[in-house]
Amino acid sequence: METLQNSPAAAQTPLIGVAGDVASSQSFFDFWGLLNRRKWIVFLGLITGVGLGYLYFVQSKPIFKSETAILVEPKNPVSSLLGRDAAGILPGVEDYTKSHDKIITSATFVEWTLDKNELFNRPLFSGLSNSEKLQLVLDNLEAMPDPEEPNIFYLSFQCGNDEDCRIILTSLIEEYRDELSKKYEDKSKKLSDLFKEVQAKLGESFQRANREYDEIAKNWDTIGVSETGTRKVSLHQIQVRDLEKELRLLRKQLSTARVQQAWIESALAGGVEKSEILVWLLQQEGELAYGREPYSITAVEEKVRQLVADLMIQKDTLLQTYGPKHPAIVALDARIARWKSYMQSGLDGEDVSIASMRLPPEEIARRYKMLVDRQVNELDEEVRQLSEAYKFHYEKAAKLEAVAEQMRRKDEEIAAIRQWLENANAFATQIDMTVYDKNKGYNFQKLSNPEIGKQIWPNIFVILGLGGLLGSLSGFGLAYLVDIADKTFRSPAEITKQLGLPLIGHIPVMSTSKKHKTVDSLIDAVMCSYHRPKSQSAEAFRAVRTALYFSRQGKQHSVIQVTSPTPGDGKSAVAGNLAISIAQSGKNVLLVDGDMRRPTLHHMFGIKSNEGFATAMAGQTQWEDAVFTCEEIEGLSILPCGTKPANPAELTTSPLLKQVIDEMREKFDFVIIDTPPVLAVTDPCPVAARVDGVILTLRIKKNVKISAERAAEVLASIGANVVGVVVNGVGVQSGYGSQYSYGAYRSGYSYSGYGYGYGYGYGYGAGKYYEDEPNTRPGPPTPKRLEAPSAPTEESSV
């Protein structure tokens, strides 16, 4: 037997034309679906919470609150007069600012105030001990400073009596004002004496700082000090800067002269040839002049003259700032004298003018070397002298810099002491004027008078809102528990996930009203695919048909079994409408009533016959002889059950079943077999093992999840190829489809409208599957209501 295998196409196309994605899984918590399914529980929790809240509001005792604000400002705190650092520098100076909010709310002050004003006898404290009275006030008394103005304090007190709130708060404020007046009665006098002491100490500190400054200033070399903006610059600092530049220039000249000295020594060591080359190069560079006159060394003399001129200019510049006996000027004089002596004496008394060609090149080079050697020696000596002068001035400048830093710090100290002294002198008179002030050190002012307490609790809006919120949360929790205990499918995705089967159709509730029935038709009104082909129900069956077409994988013939987990799922109505829908698409379809326990299809199609599927399986007739052709629906043939047999379970296990199914497959494009529920009897299992595919029909009802899972397991255990699941009666309950777009299905249908079912009135109860049948064999077939076929190949019509 050729069977239909599971294919990717069938799995990928579980449903055509149904809103939503059935194959999608939902891993998140279905909040809105749960709320939609169990909204009555949540609503009940809301009502209960609001009711309990109102009951609490009625029984709650009122609480009143009185508020006020005061200003407590220190008049002359020492820390504000002398600066923030005065307390850390001057002995005896401290900050007199107090934490007034902590004092007012302290247990000592509160107990003293209430006892003094005999407030413990107020009705508020009736029935309480002294410790309980004090604790009651401390727990409900608050004092808080203003975050922007620390001298302003906000006080509040709440209790169960509006008048007591005002009286207690007023007493605390008045007593604290009097306490400040007594506590600081002589504070101004003490503060005045303290200021006099501070003035004396500041004066001594000022004089001592000035003396220390004078001692430091003696170490400062005031000779030749120049002002650069506001900063003093000494001659030593100027000399360090100038000598550093001159040393840099002399070291560069000395380096060049030593290079030239080494070059000449190398030429002399090379003999006559290199000496001639040296002389020629010196002539080219202008160091030796050649003409009619003898050779002359003029370049060096010119350099010496230029050097003397530069030294004279430098000396004149320094004389504009310093005296003639300044060390720098004395050093310049010595250098000028040495170079002038050199110019007058020549090259150690030797004649520098030689007659033409009288001296060989070696002698000329040797004498030129003597000039370079003298220049190197002079530059060495000059660098040494300038280095010593640089060191001297550098040490002096460093010492003067340290002295200048000490003087700067002392200047800052003197300026700070002078400022403190000026502040002390400025406020000394004001302090004397406050000696006889009423509040002495503080300015106390009530910014607002305490009023009769206003009720702050119970607040009906807060209580009812909180009660409703807690009630709703409790109702939602209860709804969640109920939802967990519910064994009903709640969404298409849940069906697919739990059963592991594709969902190929959703059938809305089908009306059985006769007003929808075609006139003079023998077919029952539940066959909506025929009577109402444009209805939503008919469209749903066409969607199932399309899913079957996709699952055939190109096969020309298919045998499909329609069954259900339990009775009452509407499998016969689904089988009949599916067969009609397939026939309407141009296929040759055979609808077989294989439910030999409670046959129904003959009622739905108006057939009366004692022959059918049961007699064919019993070998009493040929199945072809019992087939009826439906005249109202082209392409549809019907094989009724016939007379109910006494042994339906044995007939389905007969080897004849496979032969009959194979013959049906060869003669029809589609064969739809309606069989009993899987969990009610064992009849469907042998059929399911031999057909090409099984459609499992179920209705969303109580405990359907358990029965559907069991039915899927039974079909899987026998190797049945389950094409998919069809959900029947969508819209009967609001629990299913809460996450799926079934609004069009739910509207206009009701469970009562489907109460007639497709034949539930015919006694299709679950218990009757197990009732004892009469142990009689059926007689010969009675004449059919419709015209019987004249030959085995000829079919009757409805």
Side-chain angles (χ1 to χ4, degrees):
M1 178 182 67
E2 184 182 13
T3 59
L4 180 64
Q5 302 296 328
N6 289 328
S7 65
Q12 293 173 3
T13 315
L15 178 61
I16 305 296
V18 179
D21 185 8
V22 179
S24 63
S25 61
Q26 299 174 355
S27 59
F28 55 87
F29 178 68
D30 181 16
F31 175 81
W32 295 111
L34 175 61
L35 186 62
N36 184 45
R37 292 188 299 270
R38 313 296 177 186
K39 51 182 173 290
W40 63 272
I41 300 180
V42 179
F43 181 74
L44 181 61
L46 173 63
I47 297 300
T48 304
V50 173
L52 293 177
Y54 181 76
L55 182 62
Y56 174 80
F57 170 77
V58 172
Q59 296 181 352
S60 296
K61 295 181 179 180
I63 298 178
F64 303 90
K65 185 176 183 179
S66 179
E67 297 178 329
T68 186
I70 60 174
L71 172 66
V72 184
E73 183 179 18
K75 290 187 174 181
N76 293 298
V78 178
S79 59
S80 64
L81 298 180
L82 300 182
R84 297 178 59 183
D85 299 331
I89 297 177
L90 302 177
V93 179
E94 58 178 340
D95 188 3
Y96 284 92
T97 303
K98 300 295 182 180
S99 300
H100 302 285
D101 54 331
K102 296 181 180 179
I103 296 176
I104 295 176
T105 57
S106 64
T108 303
F109 178 75
V110 171
E111 184 178 13
W112 176 80
T113 301
L114 296 179
D115 186 64
K116 178 183 178 182
N117 294 272
E118 299 180 354
L119 297 178
F120 281 135
N121 299 325
R122 299 291 302 177
L124 173 66
F125 303 110
S126 60
L128 299 178
S129 62
N130 291 335
S131 60
E132 291 175 343
K133 296 176 182 178
L134 177 61
Q135 192 61 40
L136 174 64
V137 178
L138 295 177
D139 291 341
N140 295 278
L141 177 63
E142 292 184 357
M144 183 180 302
D146 191 301
E148 297 181 357
E149 181 55 52
N151 294 324
I152 296 178
F153 300 87
Y154 299 99
L155 286 78
S156 65
F157 179 70
Q158 60 185 31
C159 64
N161 187 288
D162 54 351
E163 182 64 22
D164 288 348
C165 289
R166 182 185 66 83
I167 293 175
I168 292 177
L169 193 59
T170 302
S171 299
L172 290 172
I173 295 174
E174 296 294 337
E175 291 298 333
Y176 189 70
R177 182 184 61 185
D178 296 341
E179 179 66 15
L180 284 179
S181 177
K182 294 177 181 179
K183 185 175 181 180
Y184 297 99
E185 186 174 5
D186 58 342
K187 186 59 65 177
S188 296
K189 182 65 173 64
K190 294 180 179 179
L191 194 60
S192 177
D193 295 340
L194 177 61
F195 262 100
K196 293 179 180 180
E197 181 181 353
V198 169
Q199 284 179 301
K201 291 182 177 181
L202 286 175
E204 295 177 358
S205 298
F206 184 76
Q207 294 176 2
R208 182 176 63 255
N210 280 316
R211 289 194 299 268
E212 293 174 355
Y213 182 87
D214 293 339
E215 291 294 330
I216 295 173
K218 292 179 180 179
N219 298 323
W220 178 258
D221 187 2
T222 58
I223 300 176
V225 174
S226 62
E227 295 287 343
T228 304
T230 58
R231 182 181 176 185
K232 294 183 178 181
V233 181
S234 66
L235 289 177
H236 299 290
Q237 292 172 325
I238 297 175
Q239 280 295 330
V240 167
R241 184 179 63 245
D242 294 342
L243 289 174
E244 186 176 2
K245 294 180 182 179
E246 190 171 351
L247 277 172
R248 192 182 302 113
L249 178 62
L250 287 177
R251 288 191 178 107
K252 184 177 180 180
Q253 294 176 358
L254 179 61
S255 177
T256 303
R258 284 178 175 171
V259 171
Q260 191 176 22
Q261 185 182 34
W263 178 44
I264 296 173
E265 289 178 353
S266 176
L268 289 175
V272 177
E273 183 177 358
K274 289 190 177 182
S275 298
E276 291 178 353
I277 294 174
L278 173 62
V279 172
W280 181 82
L281 290 174
L282 292 174
Q283 291 175 349
Q284 298 301 318
E285 293 177 1
E287 296 292 335
L288 296 177
Y290 177 76
R292 293 184 177 181
E293 299 296 329
Y295 285 100
S296 61
I297 304 175
T298 60
V300 176
E301 295 177 353
E302 183 63 27
K303 289 182 179 180
V304 173
R305 292 190 187 94
Q306 184 63 38
L307 179 60
V308 171
D310 293 340
L311 294 175
M312 292 296 294
I313 294 173
Q314 186 177 354
K315 176 183 177 182
D316 294 339
T317 302
L318 292 176
L319 285 173
Q320 295 178 4
T321 306
Y322 309 111
K325 294 183 179 182
H326 193 273
I329 296 177
V330 173
L332 286 175
D333 288 338
R335 292 177 59 194
I336 293 171
R338 284 198 302 273
W339 284 109
K340 285 183 177 181
S341 174
Y342 169 76
M343 292 173 58
Q344 293 175 0
S345 61
L347 298 175
D348 294 334
E350 297 188 19
D351 187 9
V352 297
S353 299
I354 310 298
S356 176
M357 303 300 293
R358 288 186 179 181
L359 296 177
E362 296 92 330
E363 183 64 21
I364 294 175
R366 185 187 65 79
R367 294 194 177 194
Y368 186 76
K369 179 178 179 300
M370 294 173 59
L371 292 174
V372 174
D373 291 343
R374 177 182 290 268
Q375 183 180 7
V376 169
N377 294 334
E378 289 292 335
L379 288 174
D380 276 336
E381 179 64 21
E382 190 172 356
V383 168
R384 185 188 64 78
Q385 293 179 0
L386 288 180
S387 297
E388 292 179 355
Y390 177 83
K391 181 179 180 181
F392 170 78
H393 291 296
Y394 183 83
E395 293 176 352
K396 287 289 186 180
K399 293 180 179 179
L400 290 177
E401 185 67 23
V403 173
E405 179 65 19
Q406 293 179 1
M407 295 175 66
R408 183 186 62 79
R409 293 179 181 178
K410 190 56 65 174
D411 278 338
E412 294 178 355
E413 182 181 350
I414 293 174
I417 296 175
R418 181 184 294 110
Q419 183 63 39
W420 296 336
L421 186 59
E422 290 177 357
N423 291 339
N425 293 332
F427 289 98
T429 306
Q430 298 181 18
I431 295 174
D432 292 336
M433 295 175 62
T434 61
V435 173
Y436 301 103
D437 192 358
K438 179 180 180 181
N439 293 326
K440 307 308 177 190
Y442 287 93
N443 177 25
F444 188 96
Q445 181 180 355
K446 285 194 296 185
L447 302 181
S448 63
N449 293 320
E451 298 179 355
I452 296 178
K454 298 179 180 179
Q455 182 174 345
I456 60 173
W457 189 259
N459 189 323
I460 186 171
F461 299 104
V462 175
I463 294 177
L464 294 184
L466 185 60
L469 177 62
L470 295 178
S472 300
L473 293 177
S474 301
F476 190 84
L478 180 60
Y480 179 71
L481 296 178
V482 172
D483 204 63
I484 292 177
D486 186 11
K487 301 303 179 182
T488 302
F489 289 116
R490 293 179 290 271
S491 68
E494 188 176 356
I495 295 177
T496 304
K497 181 179 179 181
Q498 293 292 333
L499 303 183
L501 300 173
L503 190 60
I504 62 174
H506 294 82
I507 309 303
V509 178
M510 294 177 288
S511 174
T512 59
S513 175
K514 293 183 179 181
K515 65 180 181 179
H516 295 144
K517 185 178 178 180
T518 304
V519 180
D520 297 331
S521 175
L522 298 177
I523 302 177
D524 193 271
V526 76
M527 296 299 158
C528 60
S529 296
Y530 171 66
H531 295 292
R532 300 182 304 281
K534 295 184 179 181
S535 64
Q536 290 179 338
S537 300
E539 184 64 30
F541 284 110
R542 285 192 285 271
V544 178
R545 178 191 68 187
T546 304
L548 286 178
Y549 286 172
F550 274 94
S551 65
R552 295 179 67 193
Q553 292 184 314
K555 296 179 181 179
Q556 298 299 322
H557 306 278
S558 296
V559 180
I560 305 298
Q561 176 188 5
V562 179
T563 185
S564 63
T566 58
D569 289 323
K571 60 178 182 55
S572 299
V574 171
N577 279 281
L578 179 60
I580 294 173
S581 178
I582 297 175
Q584 289 173 345
S585 68
K587 302 293 182 180
N588 188 14
V589 182
L590 175 62
L591 177 61
V592 180
D593 191 350
D595 191 348
M596 294 180 288
R597 305 277 184 166
R598 288 292 179 264
T600 307
L601 292 178
H602 65 285
H603 292 294
M604 294 182 175
F605 288 90
I607 299 174
K608 293 182 179 180
S609 175
N610 292 329
E611 298 178 352
F613 182 74
T615 58
M617 294 303 300
Q620 299 174 1
T621 60
Q622 295 295 324
W623 67 271
E624 295 93 338
D625 298 337
V627 174
F628 290 84
T629 300
C630 182
E631 287 185 350
E632 297 183 43
I633 303 173
E634 183 179 358
L636 177 63
S637 299
I638 304 170
L639 178 60
C641 176
T643 303
K644 293 189 292 184
N647 55 345
E650 287 75 11
L651 294 180
T652 56
T653 58
S654 172
L656 189 59
L657 176 65
K658 180 178 183 302
Q659 178 183 346
V660 171
I661 291 177
D662 290 341
E663 292 175 357
M664 292 178 179
R665 182 185 295 108
E666 292 297 328
K667 293 187 178 183
F668 293 92
D669 296 331
F670 267 93
V671 178
I672 307 298
I673 303 177
D674 177 26
T675 62
V678 176
L679 301 182
V681 292
T682 60
D683 303 1
C685 295
V687 180
R690 290 172 172 80
V691 298
D692 299 331
V694 179
I695 293 178
L696 185 62
T697 303
L698 58 89
R699 187 186 300 275
I700 303 302
K701 55 188 177 181
K702 186 177 181 181
N703 294 327
V704 67
K705 183 184 296 185
I706 299 175
S707 59
E709 290 178 351
R710 179 57 184 158
E713 292 175 358
V714 170
L715 293 174
S717 66
I718 62 176
N721 176 32
V722 182
V723 178
V725 178
V726 174
V727 179
N728 191 19
V730 175
V732 171
Q733 297 180 5
S734 61
Y736 179 77
S738 61
Q739 296 176 350
Y740 210 71
S741 180
Y742 294 130
Y745 287 167
R746 289 196 297 269
S747 62
Y749 295 95
S750 64
Y751 192 77
S752 60
Y754 200 72
Y756 175 74
Y758 65 91
Y760 285 52
Y762 304 119
Y764 204 92
K768 294 186 179 181
Y769 267 107
Y770 307 100
E771 293 180 359
D772 294 334
E773 297 288 346
N775 190 11
T776 58
R777 300 289 297 175
T782 58
K784 299 179 175 62
R785 174 176 175 270
L786 302 178
E787 182 181 355
S790 59
T793 58
E794 183 180 353
E795 299 176 349
S796 300
S797 61
V798 177

